[in-house]
Amino acid sequence: MTSQDVLHMRRAVALAALGQGGTSPNPVVGCVVVDASGEIAGEGFHAYAGGPHAEVVALREAGERASGGTAYVTLEPCDHTGRTGPCSRALLDAGVARVVIAVADPNPVAAGGAGTLRSHGVRVDTGVLTEEAERGNAAWLTFVRASRPYVTWKFAATVDGRSAAADGTSQWITSPEARADVHRLRAESDAILAGVGTVVADDPRLTARVPEPLRERPVLRVVADSSARTPATARVLDGEAPTLVAVADDAVLPPHLSGAVRLPRADGGIDLRALMAELRGRQVVSVLLEGGPTLAGSFLREGLVDRVVGYVAPALFGAGAAALGPAGVRTLAEAHRLEFEEVARIGPDLRVVLRPQPSKES
């Protein structure tokens, strides 16, 4: 790995990020093609499912300059024909002499591109900026490796961790700038999930009120409602976006919830792993969890939170609802330990992005 390898792969990772929210259920991928003299000849990223892959976009831009050059790709080039042809073949046809890969493809359907390239005399190097590339593709990699959607828990709270004042008021704890950023998160997600308590108390729309990325499917609204209490007048049922209401298998359904999905009951609510399996079956790669403190605690207790995005307002309540409910922690040693990934100012507020620390067993 040379300094130029790092430089070009870092650019490929940045390009991949441009496809966030649009490629599902496919991964985000970036590609940089460098000609034989070491100059960048083409760049590309996967913009939407069914569209040209990053390698194809970059090779088209590079044209004949790709011959004898090097392609830097954040994910191993696919080796199968789906809605598009195999990228391994596109690289071979372009005459690329070397391919540098950040992350091996864990999907057995598409993997094998590195082997095909090597078998045709192309030099293949792997493992360049793997951690950065995996972080940018965390949702899809979790979807494939863990066989479930990637879950981001979003919360807004005061400095002392309150999501509502003592009288229950909660609009608005954070600033318009922070709320706009939340809508960006929503637009990049495949599904927005809330519990029925939040639906009854706040009547949220659970939609992204910013332009969504070019995507095949609109963002799915999901309500975890074990007892089928979602009101017929709830805005999540307004038809503005598709909605999935998940109820317990023993719930009595009112007529307006006749299309709800029945799932096993667990711990007084919906079996969350069954819900994740249901969403995976619907090709939901990423979920933004916006439910109240009880649902958030349940997800943490089940080990189903992959990222935490908190919006912290410079305010103190001293009383009122906490942002997080019981999460299976009885003593300090059982705390859910997180790692800071980002701390940024959003208007007058702070946005903190954290991920669970790897377990000692991993």
Side-chain angles (χ1 to χ4, degrees):
M1 182 170 62
T2 68
S3 60
Q4 288 301 301
D5 289 340
V6 172
L7 178 68
H8 295 313
M9 187 62 78
R10 185 155 288 135
R11 174 58 181 164
V13 170
L15 287 167
L18 299 177
Q20 286 289 356
T23 64
S24 183
N26 295 341
V28 293
V29 183
C31 178
V32 173
V33 174
V34 176
D35 65 19
S37 69
E39 297 295 321
I40 293 178
E43 297 182 337
F45 67 96
H46 186 40
Y48 60 95
H53 289 188
E55 298 93 322
V56 172
V57 176
L59 288 171
R60 285 175 181 170
E61 185 175 295
E64 294 182 357
R65 293 174 64 194
S67 181
T70 298
Y72 294 86
V73 193
T74 57
L75 184 68
E76 179 182 1
C78 64
D79 201 43
H80 81 303
T81 299
R83 285 184 286 183
T84 62
C87 291
S88 56
R89 173 50 58 186
L91 290 163
L92 290 172
D93 290 344
V96 170
R98 179 181 179 229
V99 175
V100 182
I101 299 169
V103 180
D105 194 334
N107 184 356
V109 174
T116 295
L117 291 166
R118 287 189 177 108
S119 70
H120 285 79
V122 176
R123 176 184 168 187
V124 177
D125 295 313
T126 60
V128 177
L129 294 190
T130 299
E131 185 175 344
E132 288 185 29
E134 288 201 345
R135 190 179 304 119
N137 222 358
W140 182 81
L141 289 170
T142 298
F143 183 75
V144 174
R145 292 170 176 170
S147 297
R148 64 166 177 83
Y150 178 88
V151 177
T152 296
W153 170 43
K154 183 277 298 180
F155 72 89
T158 59
V159 172
D160 55 340
R162 305 293 178 174
S163 62
D167 65 354
T169 55
S170 61
Q171 295 183 336
W172 299 98
I173 289 176
T174 54
S175 64
E177 294 91 339
R179 298 198 296 275
D181 199 63
V182 170
H183 285 293
R184 176 191 60 80
L185 280 179
R186 288 180 172 185
E188 292 180 354
S189 304
D190 289 344
I192 304 167
L193 170 61
V196 68
T198 297
V199 171
V200 171
D202 299 335
D203 195 22
R205 291 165 59 187
L206 298 184
T207 55
R209 292 186 283 281
V210 296
E212 293 184 10
L214 183 64
R215 59 162 68 233
E216 284 190 305
R217 307 165 298 172
V219 177
L220 176 68
R221 302 182 288 191
V222 182
V223 181
D225 181 7
S226 61
S227 300
R229 295 192 294 124
T230 302
T233 57
R235 291 196 291 183
V236 292
L237 302 179
D238 61 11
E240 183 178 348
T243 300
L244 171 70
V245 179
V247 302
D249 48 15
D250 58 355
V252 177
L253 291 182
H256 68 278
L257 294 182
S258 60
V261 172
R262 291 185 179 273
L263 297 173
R265 184 184 290 276
D267 297 327
I270 295 293
D271 184 320
L272 296 182
R273 293 193 177 274
L275 177 57
M276 291 296 98
E278 175 70 27
L279 293 178
R280 190 185 193 282
R282 295 169 182 259
Q283 295 291 286
V284 171
V285 172
S286 59
V287 172
L288 182 63
L289 173 61
E290 293 206 37
T294 300
L295 188 61
S298 297
F299 265 83
L300 276 168
R301 189 167 59 247
E302 290 292 321
L304 293 174
V305 173
D306 301 291
R307 181 175 64 156
V308 177
V309 180
Y311 296 87
V312 182
L316 298 167
F317 286 174
L324 179 64
V329 177
R330 296 164 298 178
T331 183
L332 181 63
E334 296 175 344
H336 298 280
R337 297 291 181 178
L338 309 171
E339 295 179 343
F340 282 102
E341 184 173 291
E342 175 192 334
V343 178
R345 286 287 296 269
I346 302 290
D349 307 314
L350 285 183
R351 180 184 64 205
V352 293
V353 180
L354 309 99
R355 296 182 193 270
Q357 288 184 356
S359 65
K360 294 180 179 179
E361 291 79 13
S362 63

